[in-house]
């Protein structure tokens, strides 16, 4: 078995917004085909960490290494690197004036220069994959939240990223729609997609995660295999957090 590639390495990452020190000396490694789940209370820095990994926010100090390449804000191929790291947001961020298929093919055609015919074929394949084969030509306003989020997943996959980031992908959904999105994510994990997931869905974290990182006040307080971390947390703060939600 060949050694799995390191996809993301974070070393002593710090991020502040003005006087607010949001990320404090974060160290984290994500290897190929791993699902790393970030849990913790709101405001603990989870979403900011994801946004730094996709360079939507720029770090103040520390290192972010994507597939062996250290990335800074003046890195000449920043956009190309950003394309390797797909992101799915809490609120879908779909274009309301484009059809479902139009949303999915927008970036491959505009950013990657993919021929439209090719993009359409690929877009339809991805929509089939997330269970929306019958929705190509409708507009996002006609979809349920779960369907919108699955379109957003297909849209991120259309860029053929090496890593997928999910920022609380189910927290804006009605409870009965959460399962369909988690099922899609689980299928991606089973296919070997490298994923970093911020979620409050502890069942998903336990079942699908390879690693769980518990964040508190801008730090990763504890990291471990899901069963170890959920059944036998070592840190008091982890214990307190888990007992408050489980």
């Amino acid at each position: 078995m060949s050694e799995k590639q390191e996809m993301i390495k974070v070393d002593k990452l710090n991020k502040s917004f003005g006087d607010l020190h949001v990320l404090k000396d974060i160290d984290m490694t994500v290897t190929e085909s791993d699902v790393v789940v970030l849990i913790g209370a709101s405001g603990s820095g989870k979403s900011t960490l994801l946004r730094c990994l996709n360079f939507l926010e720029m770090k103040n100090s520390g290192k972010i290494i994507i597939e062996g390449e250290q990335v800074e804000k003046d890195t000449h191929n920043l956009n190309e690197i950003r394309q390797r790291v797909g992101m799915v947001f809490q609120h879908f961020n779909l274009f309301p004036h484009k059809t479902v298929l139009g949303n999915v093919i927008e970036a491959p055609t505009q950013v990657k220069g993919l021929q439209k015919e090719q993009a359409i074929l690929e877009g339809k394949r991805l929509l089939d994959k997330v269970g929306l084969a019958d929705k190509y030509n409708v507009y996002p306003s006609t979809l349920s939240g779960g369907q919108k989020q699955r379109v957003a997943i297909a849209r991120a996959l259309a860029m053929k990223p090496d890593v997928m980031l999910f920022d609380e992908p189910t927290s804006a959904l009605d409870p009965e729609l959460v399962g369909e999105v988690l099922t899609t994510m689980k299928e991606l994990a089973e296919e070997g997609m490298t994923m970093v997931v911020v979620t409050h869905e502890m069942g998903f974290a336990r079942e699908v995660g390879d690693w769980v990182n518990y964040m508190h006040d801008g730090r990763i307080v504890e990291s471990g295999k899901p069963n170890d971390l959920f059944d036998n947390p070592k840190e008091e703060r982890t214990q307190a957090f888990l007992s408050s939600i489980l």
Side-chain angles (χ1 to χ4, degrees):
M1 180 100 178
S2 62
E3 188 73 5
K4 289 209 295 186
Q5 186 188 346
E6 209 169 77
M7 304 299 277
I8 297 178
K9 185 162 180 63
V10 177
D11 185 25
K12 296 279 175 283
L13 178 68
N14 284 273
K15 174 66 185 173
S16 297
F17 297 102
D19 294 338
L20 189 64
H21 193 174
V22 182
L23 297 177
K24 303 167 184 173
D25 288 335
I26 296 282
D27 292 329
M28 183 172 88
T29 302
V30 181
T31 48
E32 197 178 348
S33 74
D34 273 359
V35 178
V36 176
V37 182
L38 303 175
I39 64 171
S42 295
S44 56
K46 309 180 299 293
S47 294
T48 302
L49 174 54
L50 275 201
R51 291 174 73 85
C52 287
L53 297 181
N54 191 11
F55 312 104
L56 292 169
E57 301 288 355
M58 286 299 173
K59 65 187 171 61
N60 294 99
S61 65
K63 289 182 191 165
I64 299 176
I65 298 166
I66 305 285
E67 297 181 83
E69 197 168 345
Q70 188 171 327
V71 184
E72 302 296 339
K73 63 172 167 284
D74 55 358
T75 298
H76 67 93
N77 58 340
L78 181 61
N79 277 340
E80 186 259 319
I81 293 170
R82 190 182 268 150
Q83 288 170 34
R84 295 187 225 155
V85 185
M87 182 131 175
V88 175
F89 299 90
Q90 183 175 348
H91 293 291
F92 331 127
N93 296 9
L94 298 176
F95 297 116
H97 60 288
K98 289 189 181 295
T99 62
V100 163
L101 185 60
N103 267 278
V104 173
I105 68 172
E106 172 81 359
T109 53
Q110 298 299 318
V111 180
K112 284 199 156 172
L114 195 62
Q115 292 293 325
K116 191 162 183 191
E117 294 70 30
Q118 184 59 40
I120 287 171
L121 280 175
E122 179 65 7
K124 286 183 171 176
R125 185 187 72 78
L126 288 168
L127 287 165
D128 291 353
K129 181 184 172 74
V130 299
L132 294 172
D134 55 339
K135 300 290 185 190
Y136 301 151
N137 294 318
V138 306
Y139 287 87
S141 60
T142 66
L143 300 179
S144 71
Q147 290 169 327
K148 287 178 187 169
Q149 195 57 291
R150 286 184 286 149
V151 174
I153 292 171
R155 179 180 63 177
L157 290 171
M159 292 297 282
K160 298 197 167 16
D162 298 334
V163 180
M164 285 277 278
L165 309 177
F166 291 87
D167 188 9
E168 301 198 17
T170 58
S171 65
L173 301 180
D174 293 331
E176 69 274 15
L177 302 176
V178 167
E180 63 192 59
V181 173
L182 294 179
T183 299
T184 298
M185 292 168 64
K186 201 161 129 189
E187 287 164 1
L188 283 180
E190 284 162 3
E191 289 165 15
M193 174 60 81
T194 309
M195 294 158 60
V196 184
V197 182
V198 171
T199 188
H200 295 290
E201 299 292 333
M202 297 302 148
F204 175 87
R206 185 190 277 266
E207 185 187 353
V208 183
D210 294 294
W211 295 96
V212 179
N213 293 333
Y214 167 63
M215 288 185 71
H216 176 80
D217 192 27
R219 298 179 192 278
I220 293 178
V221 172
E222 187 165 353
S223 182
K225 291 280 185 192
N227 287 346
D228 296 341
L229 192 119
F230 285 117
D231 296 338
N232 196 12
K234 295 179 177 53
E235 298 286 333
E236 266 179 41
R237 282 172 299 187
T238 319
Q239 293 164 7
F241 172 73
L242 290 173
S243 65
S244 75
I245 58 162
L246 292 179

